[in-house]
Amino acid sequence: MSRWTRIRIWIIVVLIAVIYLLTRFGVGLYTDFLWFQHLNLQSVFLTSIWAKVGVGLAVAIPFALIFLVNILIARWQSVRNVLFFSEETLVAQKFVVWLIWGTTLFLSWVVGTAASGNWLLFLRFLKQQSFGLTDPVFNIDASFYLFSLPFYHFIQTWLIIVLFLSLIGATVIYTLAQQNNLAEGRIIILPHVLLHLSVLGALIFFTFALGHWLSLFDLMYSERGVAFGASYTDINISMPALWVMVVTAITAGVMLLLNTVFRRAALSLLAVFLWIVVGIVATGLIPGIIQRYVVEPNELARETPYIRNNITFTRVAYGLDKIQEQDFPKLEPLTQETLADNAATIRNIRLWDYRPLLQTYQQIQAIRLYYNFLDVDMDRYVINGELRQVTLAPRELVKEQLQSPTWVTRKLQFTHSYGVVMNPIDEVTREGLPQLWIKDLPPVSSIDLKVERPEIYYGEATNDYVFVKTTEREFNYPSGDQNVYANYQGGGGVVLDSYLKRLAFALRLADMNMLLSQEFTRESRVLIYRNIRERVQRIAPFLEYDRDPYVLIGPDGHLYWLQDAYTISSRFPYSEPFGEINYIRNSVKVLIDAYDGSLIFYVVDEADPLVRTYAAIFPQLFTPMSQMPDWLKAHLRYPEDLFRIQAEMFRTYHMGDVNVFYNKEDVWQVPQETFAGNTQPVEPYYVIIRSPGQDDSEFVLMQPFTPNNKENLIAWIAARCDGEHYGELLVYRFPKQELIFGPLQIEGRIDQTPEISAQITLWGQGGSEVIRGNLLVLPVGNSLLYVEPLYLRAEQGQIPELKRVILASGDQIVMRETLEDSLLALFEGEPAVAAVERPAATETAEPATPQETTPAAPIEPLSDDVAELARAASEYYEAAQVALRQGDWATYGEKLEQMKAVLDKLVELTGAE
């Protein structure tokens, strides 16, 4: 083969490699850049790219130099000692040069590529922010453990890898040089070989010493003791043992260096043997003996300070240290005056459980087979001047249900979902269905809240890419036998204004129809990463995201998504792990426009050092909460995932006394309830309540607790969601000496009420499925009200209908068709089930509007006639009951006050106590 032929072959190979790399990586980088650029977040993309390249080079180049120098030294030493090698061996070693360079490049590429995945670790180290909290052992700021220690571990691991590979490579070269001697059954270790390998071995042991020193700080994550974190044995035994290991590793390294002078192979083996034996005895055998025979017999006494450290740092890591704990006032019987004082709570009692409601939405509002409801969200809106809790659900498009799923229909026509459904949580039609305030296609609203832009191009089920602004009309919504079409008017997506962009995305998406279709224009756009969770993860993969983003209706009539995001870590000292994390903050909330896909990352916890570190890395990504619009602040919800974690940790970590904590004397648990015939834990629930000691009603997320292995209530925790109190956690403890019924006990009392159980059995015998909804425990003033909706689903039906409302308070349990009737029965002492059921208050699907009321008139001077006063009290009472049935809580409270004034006058005249 001629020289020019070999050159041509090399040129072809290089061209093929370049084309492959451009196709494999270049297209992805280019299209990703275009995507970030259309969101004005190209700085985020470039920061990550340059960081990956920088870290990869920073790791690969030193690796290549160290590895190559050691290999070349070994080869030079082998070739220099020609005494032991034949001419054939020397000729063969010339070919080794190509192998050396190829191996060096390959290993450097592998190590550099692997290291580039840790680009964020490097940036966090460089931009780290202080916690202002030091650990109790080394007195070092917690930022060291989250940012610096992982970086130092990475460097130590990298040193071990490069030195070990260099040792292996040099050994291979020296072994190849000995092949003739090996063939004769002998091996000769020359002085230069011993010198080279001893130096590498010494460096490896010095790196081991660095690792042992870093392990001192890893004791903050020890699981040896009764609580997570450094324990008695760790501090008093393991820590000195690790210092011994540091000294031993350094000594072993020095012995190997001395071996370059004494040149005794046995000295090298002795150094390795010494390090292994000391490691087994000092870090394994002795700590185990001390833990078993010294600590465990006196565990509480010896572990007390370390348990206290665990309690303190766990509370900080999960935000439990800021919980406001107080005793629930002495429980009082529920009265009508209490209801009037807590009208907002009663007005917003949740009768619609999200699970049967989701099935109902699907049956009455999906409208077409290709529409589906994935989830029901809880929120609150000011409707007609009144704060109302509502449920919302977006109508998502399911393309698998399309009758003719061609490329045109899937990518050009059916491009978006459409509309939302909304109803108040407390209103029911005569048929047992939810009162729909927003419904149908296009959305019809019967309240002062309009949906002007119902199209959902970005949602929870939009998992594919589509093209908009093509010559093909987009399907908007069905209307009778016809379809309504529209064209995209937003600015979302990457503009395909050049053939290069179309080619790049065609290669990226493996969709050659992009190049063949005639429907594209210079205005056409491609919409990718339309699933909102995938979208935010693509932009900020270093954040953890809540499982339940929720939809909002903005003041402009647009639909938005609010996605909660968390900063997490598994490296917080002394903090008890929850799964794979031991630190979490809800520091970011992401607002996503459902129409154009634009995003805003709001920082809602600027005190969090992790989010401040990320903000220093990506200054263009985050927006301070001070710039959040007021309408959005009014819809912030405390995220349920975080609340569940905090509630789970607080079950144990509400115990601040070390002795109580150690003995687990006061562990709580999440209570059980009956839902749809199954016993399951009570889920956290959003409600509007006025907490004891608070002046106003507010939207909270709450969770009751019972003692471990018991069913009575012991406490409840609530996360506040409104205004300046957003994020505050309140805990109310019930008196331990008083029996407060828990959810499962109330469920048992319901089952033991003959009238109710007989009615439920009768429905079941008639073929209907009885679904018992969430049992809510609601604090109303200084009283408790238990609410459980009852749904029926016909044997062949798919629509759960709300048929009864069960209320319990004190010793009384009642069941009626409506909440209003149940409240009346609760105070009138009627039987649990009325002999003649009252009809539902609402007969049509039209929404109930608040009754107009006039300002309370002053009470006129009262007569001294007892009969007249008694008649007036009776009239006020009847008027109050009418207001109660209508849900007019203002008038209800006014009439009760007037009745109270009359009764007080009667007491004065009659001299009654």
Side-chain angles (χ1 to χ4, degrees):
M1 183 182 297
S2 67
R3 179 181 178 184
W4 285 109
T5 302
R6 288 197 298 270
I7 292 176
R8 292 190 187 98
I9 293 175
W10 275 107
I11 291 174
I12 294 173
V13 169
V14 170
L15 287 175
I16 293 174
V18 169
I19 293 173
Y20 170 78
L21 291 176
L22 286 176
T23 305
R24 178 70 177 82
F25 301 106
V27 168
L29 289 174
Y30 176 59
T31 52
D32 276 344
F33 175 78
L34 292 176
W35 184 74
F36 275 89
Q37 186 181 51
H38 101 276
L39 293 171
N40 293 320
L41 293 174
Q42 59 268 30
S43 63
V44 176
F45 175 76
L46 293 175
T47 297
S48 63
I49 292 299
W50 288 119
K52 291 176 183 178
V53 173
V55 170
L57 292 177
V59 170
I61 292 176
F63 174 89
L65 292 176
I66 295 173
F67 181 81
L68 187 61
V69 166
N70 280 282
I71 300 303
L72 291 179
I73 288 175
R75 178 183 175 277
W76 176 71
Q77 292 282 12
S78 299
V79 175
R80 188 170 62 90
N81 291 272
V82 296
L83 176 63
F84 293 93
F85 309 115
S86 64
E87 288 298 325
E88 291 80 4
T89 300
L90 293 176
V91 171
Q93 284 207 8
K94 294 180 180 179
F95 294 98
V96 175
V97 174
W98 292 98
L99 181 62
I100 290 174
W101 283 99
T103 302
T104 301
L105 291 175
F106 174 74
L107 290 178
S108 300
W109 176 78
V110 170
V111 171
T113 301
S116 66
N118 293 281
W119 61 276
L120 199 57
L121 182 147
F122 279 71
L123 294 184
R124 281 196 297 250
F125 172 74
L126 295 174
K127 299 289 187 177
Q128 61 181 283
Q129 304 291 309
S130 172
F131 274 77
L133 175 69
T134 59
D135 76 272
V137 177
F138 299 102
N139 199 33
I140 299 176
D141 191 88
S143 59
F144 170 82
Y145 295 93
L146 273 73
F147 305 125
S148 299
L149 186 58
F151 175 78
Y152 297 149
H153 273 300
F154 177 88
I155 298 300
Q156 191 259 347
T157 301
W158 176 81
L159 287 172
I160 291 291
I161 291 173
V162 66
L163 292 174
F164 258 113
L165 289 178
S166 297
L167 178 64
I168 293 171
T171 302
V172 169
I173 296 297
Y174 288 131
T175 302
L176 289 175
Q178 289 274 344
Q179 57 182 310
N180 291 336
N181 296 318
L182 292 174
E184 297 175 2
R186 58 175 181 161
I187 183 171
I188 301 175
I189 302 178
L190 298 177
H192 65 270
V193 175
L194 189 60
L195 172 64
H196 189 186
L197 298 184
S198 294
V199 170
L200 286 175
L203 293 175
I204 289 174
F205 273 103
F206 292 151
T207 308
F208 282 155
L210 173 62
H212 295 316
W213 179 74
L214 293 176
S215 295
L216 290 168
F217 304 102
D218 289 333
L219 293 176
M220 296 297 103
Y221 316 111
S222 171
E223 300 179 6
R224 187 192 303 277
V226 67
F228 187 84
S231 63
Y232 175 91
T233 302
D234 295 315
I235 298 299
N236 295 281
I237 305 300
S238 296
M239 187 174 291
L242 286 171
W243 279 114
V244 170
M245 289 302 299
V246 170
V247 174
T248 302
I250 293 175
T251 302
V254 172
M255 291 174 66
L256 288 174
L257 289 179
L258 291 176
N259 196 40
T260 62
V261 178
F262 296 105
R263 298 178 182 179
R264 297 289 186 270
L267 193 59
S268 300
L269 296 176
L270 178 61
V272 175
F273 178 76
L274 176 66
W275 178 72
I276 293 175
V277 170
V278 172
I280 294 174
V281 174
T283 62
L285 185 60
I286 295 178
I289 293 174
I290 296 299
Q291 180 70 26
R292 174 64 183 85
Y293 296 103
V294 176
V295 176
E296 290 186 8
N298 306 280
E299 197 167 45
L300 179 58
R302 297 191 182 278
E303 298 283 16
T304 291
Y306 311 108
I307 295 175
R308 186 175 294 111
N309 292 338
N310 172 263
I311 294 174
T312 300
F313 279 79
T314 298
R315 286 182 167 184
V316 171
Y318 293 96
L320 307 181
D321 58 320
K322 295 181 174 60
I323 289 180
Q324 304 172 34
E325 299 185 54
Q326 53 190 294
D327 293 331
F328 193 86
K330 180 176 176 55
L331 202 64
E332 300 174 353
L334 184 64
T335 65
Q336 294 179 341
E337 291 82 358
T338 304
L339 291 184
D341 290 340
N342 294 271
T345 298
I346 305 303
R347 184 62 168 143
N348 290 282
I349 289 179
R350 193 182 86 187
L351 300 181
W352 285 105
D353 187 292
Y354 69 92
R355 286 158 290 198
L357 182 61
L358 184 62
Q359 299 175 34
T360 301
Y361 280 169
Q362 188 63 36
Q363 294 302 315
I364 67 176
Q365 279 293 301
I367 299 177
R368 292 291 189 272
L369 289 175
Y370 45 76
Y371 284 129
N372 191 21
F373 293 95
L374 299 182
D375 191 20
V376 175
D377 297 319
M378 299 284 176
D379 204 354
R380 70 284 195 198
Y381 287 79
V382 176
I383 304 299
N384 298 329
E386 184 181 6
L387 182 65
R388 300 296 301 275
Q389 186 173 346
V390 300
T391 60
L392 299 92
R395 188 181 290 103
E396 299 271 10
L397 177 66
V398 182
K399 294 186 179 181
E400 289 76 12
Q401 297 296 328
L402 294 176
Q403 296 300 311
S404 56
T406 65
W407 184 84
V408 172
T409 57
R410 289 185 297 108
K411 301 302 181 184
L412 304 183
Q413 290 184 347
F414 286 81
T415 56
H416 57 274
S417 306
Y418 195 88
V420 294
V421 177
M422 175 191 283
N423 67 276
I425 61 169
D426 65 314
E427 295 186 8
V428 189
T429 69
R430 183 183 182 88
E431 294 77 20
L433 300 177
Q435 291 276 18
L436 298 181
W437 281 354
I438 299 178
K439 60 182 179 179
D440 297 340
L441 298 171
V444 177
S445 175
S446 55
I447 54 176
D448 56 349
L449 183 65
K450 308 298 181 184
V451 180
E452 305 292 348
R453 180 61 76 183
E455 296 88 354
I456 302 174
Y457 284 85
Y458 300 86
E460 292 183 273
T462 48
N463 299 316
D464 64 340
Y465 62 92
V466 296
F467 305 99
V468 296
K469 294 191 175 182
T470 64
T471 58
E472 189 72 35
R473 293 186 305 166
E474 297 177 48
F475 170 80
N476 211 27
Y477 61 89
S479 179
D481 295 333
Q482 304 296 320
N483 291 331
V484 177
Y485 293 87
N487 291 316
Y488 184 66
Q489 303 298 320
V494 179
V495 181
L496 302 175
D497 53 1
S498 69
Y499 190 80
L500 175 62
K501 291 181 180 179
R502 285 178 62 184
L503 175 62
F505 276 100
L507 293 173
R508 169 68 179 271
L509 302 173
D511 189 348
M512 291 301 105
N513 287 321
M514 288 185 62
L515 303 178
L516 302 175
S517 175
Q518 301 298 315
E519 280 82 5
F520 287 92
T521 69
R522 294 186 64 85
E523 303 294 326
S524 298
R525 295 170 178 260
V526 57
L527 278 55
I528 59 176
Y529 305 133
R530 297 195 302 135
N531 183 290
I532 54 177
R533 282 181 57 85
E534 179 187 17
R535 193 171 184 83
V536 293
Q537 286 175 336
R538 194 76 185 181
I539 295 171
F542 44 84
L543 298 175
E544 194 72 19
Y545 295 95
D546 193 87
R547 293 173 298 175
D548 184 27
Y550 57 101
V551 69
L552 302 173
I553 302 176
D556 56 356
H558 282 225
L559 299 180
Y560 297 89
W561 294 96
L562 197 61
Q563 171 72 66
D564 284 286
Y566 307 110
T567 53
I568 62 171
S569 177
S570 61
R571 304 293 299 175
F572 201 79
Y574 263 117
S575 174
E576 188 76 24
F578 181 90
E580 298 181 355
I581 67 171
N582 71 350
Y583 175 93
I584 185 169
R585 290 289 187 274
N586 174 219
S587 298
V588 178
K589 292 182 182 289
V590 189
L591 182 68
I592 308 158
D593 191 312
Y595 189 70
D596 64 23
S598 57
L599 309 95
I600 304 177
F601 286 73
Y602 289 105
V603 176
V604 296
D605 185 0
E606 297 180 355
D608 174 29
L610 265 175
V611 80
R612 287 192 283 113
T613 297
Y614 291 134
I617 297 172
F618 305 103
Q620 304 301 318
L621 176 61
F622 296 102
T623 300
M625 189 174 180
S626 59
Q627 298 183 26
M628 180 183 288
D630 291 338
W631 75 266
L632 181 55
K633 292 179 181 178
H635 292 283
L636 295 184
R637 291 187 340 186
Y638 200 85
E640 189 172 335
D641 282 353
L642 173 61
F643 187 73
R644 287 175 181 267
I645 293 173
Q646 291 176 314
E648 176 65 24
M649 298 305 296
F650 196 68
R651 292 193 314 108
T652 302
Y653 283 90
H654 71 273
M655 297 180 288
D657 183 270
V658 173
N659 189 57
V660 175
F661 182 92
Y662 174 79
N663 291 297
K664 300 296 186 286
E665 297 176 12
D666 192 24
V667 176
W668 297 346
Q669 68 180 14
V670 173
Q672 301 287 307
E673 67 169 345
T674 300
F675 175 80
N678 301 314
T679 300
Q680 63 182 36
V682 173
E683 296 182 353
Y685 45 89
Y686 292 100
V687 290
I688 293 178
I689 62 172
R690 188 178 70 183
S691 303
Q694 306 300 325
D695 296 328
D696 301 313
S697 298
E698 58 184 337
F699 190 65
V700 303
L701 176 62
M702 67 176 294
Q703 171 77 71
F705 288 115
T706 62
N708 199 32
N709 297 321
K710 294 185 179 180
E711 297 175 359
N712 59 288
L713 284 182
I714 190 66
W716 57 277
I717 183 173
R720 308 175 74 178
C721 301
D722 290 341
E724 61 182 7
H725 299 294
Y726 173 82
E728 295 180 3
L729 295 176
L730 306 175
V731 168
Y732 291 89
R733 298 172 181 260
F734 294 109
K736 294 183 180 180
Q737 67 275 14
E738 186 176 352
L739 174 62
I740 312 294
F741 289 120
L744 204 57
Q745 290 174 319
I746 295 294
E747 299 277 15
R749 292 182 59 200
I750 293 173
D751 292 335
Q752 293 169 9
T753 303
E755 299 91 340
I756 297 178
S757 59
Q759 181 68 69
I760 293 176
T761 301
L762 183 62
W763 282 325
Q765 291 174 347
S768 297
E769 179 185 1
V770 180
I771 303 173
R772 294 167 70 161
N774 271 131
L775 193 150
L776 305 181
V777 183
L778 300 177
V780 182
N782 294 341
S783 307
L784 291 180
L785 178 64
Y786 302 84
V787 183
E788 182 174 74
L790 215 61
Y791 309 91
L792 288 185
R793 182 164 50 201
E795 185 176 8
Q796 303 299 325
Q798 298 294 323
I799 305 178
E801 299 175 356
L802 179 60
K803 288 302 183 183
R804 298 293 186 272
V805 178
I806 301 175
L807 297 183
S809 184
D811 295 328
Q812 194 169 4
I813 296 178
V814 297
M815 181 176 76
R816 295 292 186 274
E817 288 191 13
T818 66
L819 175 62
E820 291 78 11
D821 286 350
S822 293
L823 287 170
L824 285 174
L826 198 63
F827 293 111
E828 292 176 356
E830 297 181 8
V833 178
V836 179
E837 302 287 4
R838 295 183 175 89
T842 309
E843 298 185 358
T844 67
E846 293 302 317
T849 57
Q851 300 293 318
E852 295 184 2
T853 61
T854 57
I859 299 176
E860 298 179 358
L862 299 175
S863 170
D864 290 337
D865 188 301
V866 173
E868 185 177 340
L869 289 173
R871 185 169 53 255
S874 176
E875 291 175 355
Y876 286 140
Y877 176 76
E878 291 300 329
Q881 301 312 303
V882 171
L884 176 62
R885 292 189 183 93
Q886 295 176 342
D888 185 357
W889 302 103
T891 302
Y892 177 70
E894 173 194 337
K895 297 305 178 183
L896 286 181
E897 287 295 326
Q898 292 172 334
M899 183 181 70
K900 182 177 182 298
V902 172
L903 293 176
D904 289 343
K905 182 67 173 180
L906 277 171
V907 170
E908 178 185 341
L909 291 175
T910 60
E913 292 297 323

